[in-house]
Amino acid sequence: MLDLRPVGYVIGLLVAMLGATMVLPLLVDLAQGQGHWRIFLQSGVITVLSGGLVALSCSNGVKEGLTIQQTFLLTTGVWLALPLFGALPLMMGATELRFVDAFFEAMSGLTTTGSTVITGLDELPRGILLWRGILQWLGGIGIVVVAMVFLPELRVGGMQIFRAEAFDTMGKILPRATQIAAQISVIYVFFTFACVLSYLAVGMSFFDASVHAFTTVSTGGFANYDASFATFTGPAEYIASFFMILAVLPFVLYVQLLNGRYKPLLRDSQVRVFLSVVAVLVGIVAVALTRMFPHHWEQALREALFNITSIITGTGYASVDYMLWGPFLISLFFFIGLIGGCAGSTTCSIKIFRYQLLFSSIRVQLQRIRSPHGIFTPRYNGKQVGPDVLNSVMVFFVFFIVSLGLFAVALALTGLDFTTSLSGAATAMGNIGPGLGEIIGPAGNFSSLNDPAKWILSLAMLVGRLELMAVYVMLTAQFWRA
Amino acid sequence: MLDLRPVGYVIGLLVAMLGATMVLPLLVDLAQGQGHWRIFLQSGVITVLSGGLVALSCSNGVKEGLTIQQTFLLTTGVWLALPLFGALPLMMGATELRFVDAFFEAMSGLTTTGSTVITGLDELPRGILLWRGILQWLGGIGIVVVAMVFLPELRVGGMQIFRAEAFDTMGKILPRATQIAAQISVIYVFFTFACVLSYLAVGMSFFDASVHAFTTVSTGGFANYDASFATFTGPAEYIASFFMILAVLPFVLYVQLLNGRYKPLLRDSQVRVFLSVVAVLVGIVAVALTRMFPHHWEQALREALFNITSIITGTGYASVDYMLWGPFLISLFFFIGLIGGCAGSTTCSIKIFRYQLLFSSIRVQLQRIRSPHGIFTPRYNGKQVGPDVLNSVMVFFVFFIVSLGLFAVALALTGLDFTTSLSGAATAMGNIGPGLGEIIGPAGNFSSLNDPAKWILSLAMLVGRLELMAVYVMLTAQFWRA
Ligand SMILES: [K+]
Ligand SMILES: [K+]
C-alpha cells in the first residue's frame, strides 16, 4: 500500500514555512501604513495552520527515507501545494486576482518562470511586490536542491550523470538533502546579499534592490515595474547579467569552492561551453544591433549582453522590446530560450549539458555510419558516458519537443495564434517568462489570455520545472502499483 | 585514395536517363504545335550528352559494389546533379526562370517537396507542366529505392531496422538494388496507371489526370493550376486521398503482396498506427470544420480527409486555404507535417516508425525510473529493438529538430518573419510543400522569397529528403579519410 503520510508531512511543513515567510511582506506593508498588511496576516495564518495541520496529521507515518514512489509524489506535490497557498495574498490583496490568475502568478513565481498577469505593478502595495519576489527566491533555492539531490537519485532526464559527482563532493559526511541544502543556502544567500549591495551601489532604492536581487539570483524575472528592467538601464544591466550568469552555473562547483577546491569550477566543460555560447551570441547580437540602430557600441553591447543573458538563463527580464529588433533576432531569441544554463542551478529549459551529450552522441553516430566496425564512445567532461545516461538525455529531449508540440496545439485550441501558442508553450516549459508576438512578447502581458490557456501554461511551467519525467511518470499505470 | 569514378559513372548514367525522359514533354509540346518543343530538344541533348560523357569517362573505374564512402557520395551526388539538369527546361523554356528559381523548382520536384516559385501555371505550355510532374514521379521512385536499399545498409537514422526485413523478403534470389528497384517499379507504375484511370473516371482531362497521378503517387504535390487541387473538388479528392495513402505505406509490403503474402500488410504495426493517426486527425478536423462553417457533413469530411492526408503524407496539395481555418487547425497542420508516413515509401519527414520507437523508448524510460532494477526492452512490430537502432532514431530526431532550428534562424536572417521562417524550414525539411502564413501558406507561392532564402530552402529539401545523416556525414573530417 502506498503510504502518503511521509509525503503529506514534508509538504505540510513546507507549506507552513511558506506561510511563515508572509511575515516579511506583512512588515513591509505595516511600515507603509496602509492597512494592506492584514491580507498577509490572514493569508499567513491560513497557510501556517493548513500546513501545520496536514503535517501533524501525517506525523505518525514518518520513517527514515522515502520510497521512489513517495519521492516523486513529494516533488510534484510541493510544486502544486505551494502555488495554491502562495496565490492567497494575490487573491485577497490589492491585486484582487481571480483564482486562475492568482494560481498562474504564484506558479509562475515558484517555478521561477516570471510571466505575469498583473498590470499596474508600479502602483501596487509593496507587500505584494515583495511577495512575488519571495515566491521566486524560494522557488530558486528549492529547485537547486531538487536538481542536486532528488533528480540525480531519481535518474530523471540524464541527471544521474551528476549523481556520483554531487555525493563524491560531499564525501560521506554530508549525505543528506538537508545538509546539502544548508551548504547551497549559504551560497544562495551570499549571492543574494552581494546582488542587493551591487544594485544599491548603482542607485536602486533598498526595496527595489532587494526584490530584484531575489528575482535575479533565482533567474525568476519578476520586476516591480510594468516596464520590467527598462526602469534600470545602464550599469544595473551589467550587474544583473553577472548575477544571472552566476545563478545558472552548477551550484556543486560553488560548494567545492567553499571547501577550498577552485579547480573544478575552472575546468568544468559545461561552464566553459555555456560561457562560450553566451559570448558568441552576445557578439552576434551586438553586431546586429549596431547595424540596425545608430547605437553607441557600449549600448549595443550592453543591450545584447543583458537580453541574451536574460533569455538564455531563463530569467526573462526585458530592458527593451526585442520584438522591434527585426525577424532574425526575434527567431534567434525563440531558439536561445530552448538552450538554458547549466544543470544543478536555478536554470530550466533543456540545459547545456544535454546539448553537449546530444552532440557528442551525434558525432559518435556519424563516426559509426562512416566506419560501422569502429568503436566510438561519447564523452562528457572528459569521461566516457554510458548508454543509460545518453538514452535518458535523448528521451528527455524527444519528450520536451513532443510536449512542446502538444502544449502549443492545446494553446492554439483555445484560439491563440501560431506564434503566441508556440512561443507561449516554450516560454512556460522553459520557465523563461516572455514569449513572442504582441500579446505575450517582452512588451506584453499574460493577463489578456483566456482561462484555459492560463491553466495550460501553468501546467507547462510545472512540467518544465520538474524536468518532465518527474511529473509524467505519475501518468503511467505502473507508477501506482505497489 | 577515394575513387570517384564508380560514383561518377552511376550519376552520369542517371543524368543521361533524365535527359532521355525529356522526350515526353518534347512530344507533348510538339503535339500542341507551339514550337516550345525545341526547349526540350536542346535541354535533352545537353543532358544526355553531359551525363553520357561523365559516365563514359568514369567507366574504366567501375568495379563490383561500392564502398560506404562512395555510396554516400552517390546518394547525395544524385540529388545534386539531377536538379541541375532538371532545371534546364525551366530556365530556357516559357517560364524563363533565373538559375536560383529553376534550381529551387527542380529540387522541389526531385525531392517531391512540391513548393513552387512559378505563378501563372494555368497558362504554361503543357511540356513544362508535364516536366514538373516527371521530376516528381522520378524523385518518388528514386527515394523508394534509396529508402529500401541504401539507407538500411548505411544504417542511417534507424533505417537499419528494415535491413533484415527487406532482404529476408527478397530471399537470396533478389539481393541487388537493381532487382529490388524492378519489383518496386512494377508496383509504382501500377499505382500510377490506376490513379490516372481513376482521375479520368471522375472527369479530369487525360493530361491533367496523368500529371496529377504522377504528383499523387510520388506524394510530390505539384499541380497544373495556381489553385492547386481546388480545381478538382469533389470525388477527385477521395481518389487523391486513397492514392496518397497507398504511396506512403511501406513498399516492401506490396512486394510481399506481389509474391502472394498478404498477411504482413494486414499485420504491420506501422501501417496500423499510421491509419489510426489519420483516422483520428480526420475526425478531429471534420468536427472542427462542421462547428466553424455551415458545411454539409460530407464536405467537412472530404476537406478534412483530403487536407490531412495531403499534409501527413507530405504531398502538399491544397484544396482550400486552411490559413482561414482558425488558429487551432493552423497550428495542428504545422505539427502534422512533422509526423509523416511510413518508412520505405515516398514519404519524408520524421515518419511513423520513429515515433513508435521513440514512444516505446519513453515508456521503457518511465518504467525504469519507477523500478530502477527492473528489466524493460522497447519493442517494434512485436520484436525487441536493440539499443543501436534506438540510438540512431533518437539521434535522428534530435538532429532533425536542431537542423530545423538552424534552418529557421538562417531563413530569419534573410528577413523572413518567425512563422514563415519556422514553417518554411519545416515544410522544406519534411518535403511537404506549403508552409504557414500569407507568403508561403497554401494560398501563397515561394516566388517572392529572396534568393538566399531559396538556396537555404533548397538545401533543407536535400537534407530532409536524404534523412539528414546521409548528407551531414560528409561534413565530418573522418568521412574523407581513406
Ligand atoms: K524566468
Ligand atoms: K510534397
Side-chain angles (χ1 to χ4, degrees), chain A residues 252-298:
Chain A
V252 66
L253 300 175
Y254 299 133
V255 173
Q256 292 171 319
L257 202 64
L258 259 192
N259 297 331
R261 294 171 58 202
Y262 61 91
K263 278 184 190 162
L265 178 60
L266 298 180
R267 290 193 184 155
D268 190 77
S269 77
Q270 193 176 199
V271 171
R272 289 184 176 190
V273 172
F274 173 71
L275 294 178
S276 310
V277 169
V278 171
V280 168
L281 288 172
V282 169
I284 292 173
V285 173
V287 168
L289 287 180
T290 48
R291 286 179 159 224
M292 264 190 294
F293 303 105
H295 274 3
H296 192 264
W297 69 265
E298 188 276 335

Side-chain angles (χ1 to χ4, degrees), chain B residues 175-386:
Chain B
R176 301 198 162 281
T178 44
Q179 287 166 304
I180 297 181
Q183 288 232 24
I184 297 169
S185 301
V186 170
I187 296 158
Y188 194 69
V189 169
F190 172 75
F191 284 171
T192 310
F193 270 108
C195 191
V196 172
L197 291 177
S198 308
Y199 280 149
L200 284 174
V202 295
M204 272 195 209
S205 73
F206 178 70
F207 182 71
D208 279 348
S210 304
V211 174
H212 289 95
F214 289 173
T215 63
T216 301
V217 299
S218 61
T219 64
F222 274 154
N224 284 351
Y225 302 91
D226 287 341
S228 187
F229 218 81
T231 326
F232 310 109
T233 48
E237 287 175 277
Y238 291 109
I239 292 168
S241 303
F242 177 74
F243 282 100
M244 288 190 277
I245 287 173
L246 274 192
V248 299
L249 301 188
F251 271 58
V252 65
L253 299 176
Y254 298 133
V255 173
Q256 291 171 319
L257 202 65
L258 260 192
N259 297 332
R261 296 171 56 202
Y262 61 91
K263 279 183 188 164
L265 178 60
L266 298 180
R267 290 191 184 157
D268 189 78
S269 77
Q270 194 176 198
V271 171
R272 288 183 176 192
V273 172
F274 174 71
L275 294 178
S276 310
V277 169
V278 171
V280 168
L281 289 172
V282 169
I284 292 172
V285 174
V287 169
L289 287 180
T290 48
R291 286 178 159 227
M292 265 190 293
F293 304 104
H295 273 2
H296 192 266
W297 68 264
E298 188 276 335
Q299 187 187 355
L301 190 69
R302 177 163 44 81
E303 289 189 354
L305 174 70
F306 180 80
N307 286 283
I308 286 289
T309 309
S310 171
I311 296 299
I312 202 171
T313 61
T315 308
Y317 287 138
S319 75
V320 292
D321 181 5
Y322 52 73
M323 287 308 291
L324 307 176
W325 281 3
F328 167 56
L329 293 180
I330 290 170
S331 293
L332 192 67
F333 271 70
F334 174 78
F335 290 104
I336 289 172
L338 296 178
I339 298 178
C342 304
S345 73
T346 64
T347 199
C348 188
S349 199
I350 292 171
K351 298 190 183 69
I352 290 286
F353 85 99
R354 293 210 175 89
Y355 285 100
Q356 291 178 268
L357 285 167
L358 291 173
F359 284 112
S360 180
S361 199
I362 286 174
R363 199 169 56 239
V364 164
Q365 186 78 29
L366 288 171
Q367 288 171 329
R368 272 196 203 132
I369 288 174
R370 172 68 182 82
S371 314
H373 305 294
I375 291 164
F376 310 97
T377 321
R379 292 175 166 273
Y380 172 76
N381 220 355
K383 289 185 203 128
Q384 292 198 350
V385 181

Side-chain angles (χ1 to χ4, degrees), chain A residues 367-452:
Chain A
Q367 289 171 330
R368 273 199 203 128
I369 288 173
R370 172 67 182 82
S371 314
H373 305 294
I375 291 164
F376 310 98
T377 320
R379 292 174 165 274
Y380 172 76
N381 219 356
K383 289 185 202 126
Q384 292 198 352
V385 181
D388 172 44
V389 171
L390 278 181
N391 199 48
S392 286
V393 168
M394 286 200 273
V395 165
F396 176 89
F397 185 87
V398 172
F399 224 0
F400 193 93
I401 298 296
V402 171
S403 300
L404 187 64
L406 293 176
F407 279 121
V409 169
L411 288 171
L413 192 51
T414 73
L416 302 181
D417 65 89
F418 178 71
T419 302
T420 304
S421 299
L422 187 58
S423 69
T427 203
M429 282 190 68
N431 301 132
I432 300 161
L436 297 183
E438 283 175 20
I439 307 173
I440 60 169
N445 186 286
F446 286 70
S447 57
S448 68
L449 297 185
N450 56 71
D451 288 358

Side-chain angles (χ1 to χ4, degrees), chain B residues 394-459:
Chain B
M394 287 200 274
V395 165
F396 176 89
F397 185 88
V398 172
F399 224 0
F400 193 93
I401 298 296
V402 171
S403 300
L404 187 63
L406 294 177
F407 279 122
V409 169
L411 288 171
L413 192 51
T414 73
L416 301 181
D417 65 89
F418 179 70
T419 303
T420 304
S421 299
L422 186 58
S423 70
T427 204
M429 281 190 67
N431 301 132
I432 300 162
L436 296 183
E438 283 176 19
I439 307 173
I440 60 168
N445 186 286
F446 285 70
S447 57
S448 67
L449 298 185
N450 56 71
D451 288 357
K454 285 171 185 163
W455 287 120
I456 293 166
L457 287 167
S458 300
L459 179 64

Side-chain angles (χ1 to χ4, degrees), chain B residues 41-303:
Chain B
L41 182 63
Q42 291 159 10
S43 311
V45 169
I46 295 173
T47 307
V48 171
L49 281 183
S50 309
L53 283 175
V54 168
L56 209 64
S57 66
C58 293
S59 60
N60 61 335
V62 178
K63 295 188 198 121
E64 290 272 310
L66 297 168
T67 67
I68 289 187
Q69 213 180 8
Q70 289 168 334
T71 314
F72 277 110
L73 284 170
L74 173 61
T75 313
T76 306
V78 168
W79 258 272
L80 275 175
L82 295 188
L84 277 177
F85 289 95
L88 284 181
L90 303 170
M91 294 172 72
M92 294 157 59
T95 40
E96 292 185 331
L97 296 182
R98 291 178 306 129
F99 175 59
V100 50
D101 285 323
F103 185 79
F104 177 96
E105 189 83 5
M107 182 63 95
S108 174
L110 282 157
T111 58
T112 74
T113 305
S115 304
T116 186
V117 291
I118 302 177
T119 47
L121 289 169
D122 313 41
E123 313 299 325
L124 284 182
R126 288 189 159 185
I128 294 283
L129 297 174
L130 178 60
W131 182 235
R132 291 165 81 242
I134 288 174
L135 287 176
Q136 294 211 317
W137 194 84
L138 293 174
I141 179 85
I143 206 63
V144 176
V145 173
V146 166
M148 282 185 63
V149 183
F150 287 80
L151 299 182
E153 278 302 297
L154 296 175
R155 298 161 180 275
V156 168
M159 294 290 282
Q160 56 264 48
I161 203 174
F162 301 109
R163 208 173 160 214
E165 195 181 53
F167 288 87
D168 274 1
T169 314
M170 314 296 169
K172 301 285 174 195
I173 315 150
L174 297 173
R176 301 198 162 281
T178 44
Q179 287 166 304
I180 297 181
Q183 288 232 24
I184 297 169
S185 301
V186 170
I187 296 158
Y188 194 69
V189 169
F190 172 75
F191 284 171
T192 310
F193 270 108
C195 191
V196 172
L197 291 177
S198 308
Y199 280 149
L200 284 174
V202 295
M204 272 195 209
S205 73
F206 178 70
F207 182 71
D208 279 348
S210 304
V211 174
H212 289 95
F214 289 173
T215 63
T216 301
V217 299
S218 61
T219 64
F222 274 154
N224 284 351
Y225 302 91
D226 287 341
S228 187
F229 218 81
T231 326
F232 310 109
T233 48
E237 287 175 277
Y238 291 109
I239 292 168
S241 303
F242 177 74
F243 282 100
M244 288 190 277
I245 287 173
L246 274 192
V248 299
L249 301 188
F251 271 58
V252 65
L253 299 176
Y254 298 133
V255 173
Q256 291 171 319
L257 202 65
L258 260 192
N259 297 332
R261 296 171 56 202
Y262 61 91
K263 279 183 188 164
L265 178 60
L266 298 180
R267 290 191 184 157
D268 189 78
S269 77
Q270 194 176 198
V271 171
R272 288 183 176 192
V273 172
F274 174 71
L275 294 178
S276 310
V277 169
V278 171
V280 168
L281 289 172
V282 169
I284 292 172
V285 174
V287 169
L289 287 180
T290 48
R291 286 178 159 227
M292 265 190 293
F293 304 104
H295 273 2
H296 192 266
W297 68 264
E298 188 276 335
Q299 187 187 355
L301 190 69
R302 177 163 44 81
E303 289 189 354

